[in-house]
Amino acid sequence: MEKLIDYIERFKNISPFTLIEISIKEPSWVIGKNLDEVKFWKNTGATIIAYREGEKIVVSPGPDYRFKAGDIIVVIGSSDVYERVCNFIYGENGVD
């Protein structure tokens, strides 16, 4: 068990970034809006590195990517990225 904990701690120090997937579902205020319009990075500190739309995967979507219900976004950020992005996507307002 101690070895496992040691490995986990070492990995945490190697990569300070967290990579996650988040589904875009109703009701989300970002559906129909593009990345630039919602100021995604400014409001979350996270970067969308790809998204999946059904079987299609798009890497490094630009600022014109428009959120659609059913899409899955792949996001990278700091350790609390999941909470920040979910709060932003499913919150009632997009804070500037």
Side-chain angles (χ1 to χ4, degrees):
M1 187 64 154
E2 288 178 29
K3 281 188 175 185
L4 178 60
I5 292 171
D6 183 51
Y7 287 132
I8 291 169
E9 287 302 314
R10 286 187 204 187
F11 181 73
K12 197 187 310 186
N13 293 331
I14 290 172
S15 178
F17 306 108
T18 302
L19 185 66
I20 59 163
E21 289 186 345
I22 297 177
S23 297
I24 305 299
K25 301 176 190 171
E26 296 282 353
S28 171
W29 73 274
V30 299
I31 293 173
K33 297 182 170 112
N34 66 35
L35 281 175
D36 192 41
E37 185 178 358
V38 301
K39 296 178 176 61
F40 188 83
W41 182 84
K42 181 179 178 184
N43 287 304
T44 64
T47 300
I48 295 179
I49 60 170
Y51 72 90
R52 290 189 300 166
E53 181 180 348
E55 297 296 314
K56 179 176 128 183
I57 298 173
V58 176
V59 177
S60 192
D64 294 331
Y65 163 68
R66 193 166 297 279
F67 292 94
K68 292 181 250 18
D71 282 0
I72 297 173
I73 58 173
V74 181
V75 178
I76 192 166
S78 59
S79 61
D80 63 342
V81 67
Y82 183 80
E83 182 179 349
R84 284 184 289 118
V85 171
C86 283
N87 286 341
F88 180 71
I89 288 174
Y90 295 108
E92 293 182 12
N93 57 3
V95 181
D96 248 30

